[in-house]
Amino acid sequence: MSWSHLLPTKETHAKSYRAAVAPSLLACDFARLEEEIRTVEKAGAEFLHLDVMDGHFVDNITFGPVLVKAIDTLATVPLDTHLMIENPDRYLGPFLDAGADILTIHVEASNDVRRDLRAIRARGRKAGLSLNPATPISAVEPFLEELDLLLVMSVVPGFGGQSFMAEILPNVTQAAKIRERLGLTFAIEIDGGINPETAARARSAGAEILVAGTAIFRTPDYAASIAAIRG
Ligand code: DX5
Ligand code: ZN
C-alpha cells in the first residue's frame, strides 16, 4: 500500500500541506470496532491512531500487537501506532509484524532512541518519536535526522478526553523552525485535547497531522468533525 503522499515533504511543508487527521480509536466503541473503522475511514480519516499503553510508562493499559493485527485486517488507511510503553525495543518486532505503518516510541521511555528508530526504519516503516508536555524539545533534537514523524503530546499521556495544554504550542513552533533550519522532512503530529478550536491553533503553530479521539468518536457526525478539525 502506497501512502507516503500523506506525509508532508520538504516542498509541501507548512504552506501547501493539507492537514491530515488521525482519529484515535481509544475513544471508539470497541464493541463495534469494525463498523467504527469503516465509518471513520469513509468520513475522511487519513490514518488510524492506535494508543498502546502498558500500565508502567502511563497509568492506563490498552492493547497490544494482537489487536493491532486485527485492526490491520480491517483498516485500509495506514496505522499510526503510538507506543506509550517502557522498553519499547522489546516490542518493536511484534508491532511491526502486526502491521504498524508508523511506529512511534517515547523519548522518555527508550534506553537507546537512535537504535530503536533505526530498527523501525530497517523494516521499511516510518519511525516516530514522541515527547511529553514536560520534556523539552532539546531532548529530541539529537534524533531529528533519524525520524519520519515527531509526535508532540498536548496532554500528559494515559487517557483520552483531557484538556489541551496550550503551553506546548512553542514545542510545535520550535520543531518546525529546527526542521526548516536543518532542511529535514519529518512530519509534525499533535496528540491530546484536539478539537476544531485547538486544532486551528496547532495547525498555525506548524502541526500537520492532528490526532483526535473524543472530538471525533464522541460526536454524531464523524465526517463533519474531521472536516472541522482539518480546517
Ligand atoms: C493520550 C493518547 C491520545 C488520546 C487522545 O494518552 O495518546 O491519542 O487518545 O484522545 P483525545 O483526543 O480525547 O484527547
Ligand atoms: Zn496517542
Side-chain angles (χ1 to χ4, degrees), residues 126-209:
K126 304 290 182 190
L129 186 62
S130 183
L131 72 161
N132 283 340
T135 304
I137 203 88
S138 58
V140 299
E141 251 187 290
F143 311 110
L144 294 179
E145 295 186 9
E146 313 258 4
L147 52 92
D148 302 294
L149 177 136
L150 182 71
L151 172 53
V152 178
M153 290 308 301
S154 40
V155 297
V156 176
F159 297 90
Q162 305 183 73
S163 300
F164 182 76
M165 297 169 67
E167 60 267 37
I168 63 82
L169 283 171
N171 279 348
V172 176
T173 324
Q174 242 181 304
K177 261 193 205 143
I178 298 170
R179 180 176 65 186
E180 199 182 340
R181 176 160 48 80
L182 300 180
L184 298 174
T185 57
F186 60 85
I188 301 176
E189 180 177 50
I190 190 159
D191 183 9
I194 292 294
N195 58 40
E197 184 260 320
T198 56
R201 298 166 73 187
R203 287 195 313 271
S204 35
E208 296 136 333
I209 304 179

Side-chain angles (χ1 to χ4, degrees), residues 95-97 99-103 120-121 123-127 148:
F95 281 104
L96 293 168
D97 292 343
D101 296 288
I102 301 172
L103 193 53
I120 297 166
R121 280 185 158 183
R123 291 276 309 264
R125 311 295 172 81
K126 304 290 182 190
D148 302 294

